[in-house]
Amino acid sequence: MPPTPLRPPRAGRGRGVHALALTVLLCAAAGPAAAAGPEPSPSSSPSQLRLPVVAGRIDSSSEGCAKASATVMRQVPWAQRLLGLGRAGLFSDGTGVTVGVVDTGVSARADALSGRLTGRSGADSDCVGHGTFVAGIIGAAPRAGVGLAGVAPGARIFSARGTDATGTPSASLVALGIRAAVDAGCEVVAVSAALPEDTAGLAAAVRHATAHDVLLVAPAVPDDADTARDGQASTASFWPAAAPDVLSVVDFGVDGTRPDGSFEPAAADLAAPGDQVTGIGVTGGGHFVGSGSSFAAAYVAGAAALVRAYHPELTARQTAARMASTGYPADVPRLDVNGALTGVLPAHAAAQPAPAQGIRVLDVPDDDGAVLRAGALAGACGALGMGLWATSALRRRAGARHGPAGRSHRIAGDRGLGPRPGRGAQG
């Protein structure tokens, strides 16, 4: 398949996004450059780097299974910088947690997952490449000279198929994959499918996960509008994300907006990076680029692994509530990994956002691929950024909302995601 250039940031569609971006850039300029994660080698700017696109499906016209990429991402990708994963790694790397990936399979030849991959029989190969890409977002190991690393590089990955050999999902296969991951001892399961209809078997698999204290994470909308049924409304519910106790996720890009033409979620709990994000291939050291809410769900699943490793006393419901309540204020709260890890939440205020946890830096090209930090100004700039976000949110709620009418997110309390009696109290 032909390589596609990583797009430069598009013009934002919301004033809040513009304000935060300006704050981030001004604050970052005031501080020294510092590396986050492995020390990457110098390379061309992200706008010039060309990566092959990971497939969602393959068909008879495709040239066989996915091939290795010849291009290595040596700079730290924008999503890792935005989420502050270098700082998050000081608290947790997901060690001790197993994350299930219900997708097209995960390749046993992926070096970045070596020694940490198990799976259901037959799920250790991946002709499409999508499941391996998702698993890499969750847990790819850092490597010298490579900027890309997973959210939870210490976590183990369990692979289960939720699709046929071409990458086409079905409710029955997704249900079997969820059950396999739960029975294998996974604490978090990333499901990449967004199915237009629920089934009794899929609903039962979700209940099976809930009964075993397993957190399911799934995309609120399909990666490709073509996967939705004909005539489906542009704002619709998809499964298993729409089921109770599933953490539902939607994607955004480097400029803070969703891709043009995307399905709008009927409801979602969190938003995370998913447009033009970078991931691993089925073999070799090269990288791919992909877009879709399934990749945003992978970032949230990786963050959930960090939280469950750092806060083992929390149940799956408490973990979901913590992640939703610490998200940055927006129409759909945006994932704040460090807030979810270290935010101190009042026991009676699970829906209250945590204080700003520092600065999220956009992927501004620099010579050594390092993340720019604001030094002594971090606290002040973080507070200013959160203030601008809050102001923008109030304006939107007053009537200046962007996007189609009826767009909303699911508050934790609306879906029973608040704390329940379990292994411990929320911290």
Side-chain angles (χ1 to χ4, degrees):
M1 60 189 70
T4 296
L6 289 177
R7 294 197 302 262
R10 301 188 299 269
R13 288 178 284 187
R15 284 177 291 180
V17 172
H18 282 278
L20 180 61
L22 177 61
T23 303
V24 165
L25 295 179
L26 289 175
C27 293
E39 186 70 28
S41 302
S43 68
S44 59
S45 68
S47 62
Q48 297 173 335
L49 186 66
R50 298 178 66 87
L51 296 172
V53 178
V54 65
R57 297 185 187 182
I58 57 175
D59 53 37
S60 57
S61 63
S62 301
E63 298 180 359
C65 294
K67 307 296 192 299
S69 168
T71 307
V72 176
M73 185 70 173
R74 301 197 182 280
Q75 288 188 317
V76 179
W78 74 268
Q80 289 176 223
R81 298 178 181 220
L82 189 73
L83 295 175
L85 297 185
R87 178 182 175 187
L90 300 175
F91 299 97
S92 174
D93 69 354
T95 296
V97 173
T98 301
V99 181
V101 175
V102 181
D103 204 306
T104 59
V106 178
S107 174
R109 297 183 296 160
D111 291 344
L113 303 173
S114 179
R116 293 180 293 118
L117 175 63
T118 57
R120 196 177 182 199
S121 177
D124 60 351
S125 63
D126 182 11
C127 185
V128 180
H130 192 280
T132 305
F133 190 100
V134 164
I137 289 175
I138 295 169
R143 292 178 175 272
V146 177
L148 185 145
V151 180
R156 297 186 64 84
I157 302 295
F158 178 89
S159 174
R161 291 194 190 280
T163 73
D164 63 15
T166 69
T168 302
S170 69
S172 59
L173 290 175
V174 170
L176 288 173
I178 290 172
R179 285 184 173 275
V182 171
D183 294 343
C186 296
E187 293 187 64
V188 179
V189 177
V191 180
S192 293
L195 300 167
E197 294 180 349
D198 196 10
T199 66
L202 184 57
V206 171
R207 292 194 298 270
H208 182 66
T210 302
H212 287 79
D213 194 36
V214 176
L215 176 57
L216 295 182
V217 185
V221 292
D223 291 351
D224 185 347
D226 291 340
T227 63
R229 64 185 174 213
D230 293 340
Q232 188 153 16
S234 60
T235 301
S237 296
F238 294 89
W239 279 265
D245 295 313
V246 177
L247 197 55
S248 173
V249 185
V250 72
D251 59 312
F252 64 83
V254 68
D255 60 355
T257 65
R258 298 205 60 228
D260 294 336
S262 299
F263 262 80
E264 292 292 339
D269 298 308
L270 277 174
D275 184 28
Q276 298 290 305
V277 295
T278 315
I280 65 174
V282 296
T283 188
H287 298 113
F288 290 76
V289 66
S291 295
S293 288
S294 64
F295 303 134
Y299 278 106
V300 172
L306 298 182
V307 174
R308 299 214 77 175
Y310 192 63
H311 294 285
E313 76 282 2
L314 298 183
T315 65
R317 285 177 174 174
Q318 290 170 334
T319 300
R322 183 179 184 86
M323 294 177 68
S325 65
T326 56
Y328 288 118
D331 287 347
V332 178
R334 301 193 174 191
L335 175 65
D336 178 1
V337 179
N338 286 289
L341 283 171
T342 64
V344 179
L345 305 182
H348 64 281
Q352 294 295 321
Q357 296 295 318
I359 296 173
R360 300 296 174 265
V361 182
L362 297 181
D363 194 7
V364 183
D366 57 323
D367 291 338
D368 62 1
V371 175
L372 299 179
R373 295 179 178 173
L377 294 179
C381 291
L384 175 59
M386 287 302 294
L388 290 168
W389 270 109
T391 300
S392 175
L394 289 174
R395 287 175 177 170
R396 286 196 299 273
R397 293 190 182 99
R401 299 176 68 90
H402 297 275
R407 179 180 178 185
S408 64
H409 68 273
R410 303 182 297 183
I411 300 174
D414 292 340
R415 302 171 52 250
L417 286 178
R420 68 175 182 183
R423 292 176 294 172
Q426 186 172 352

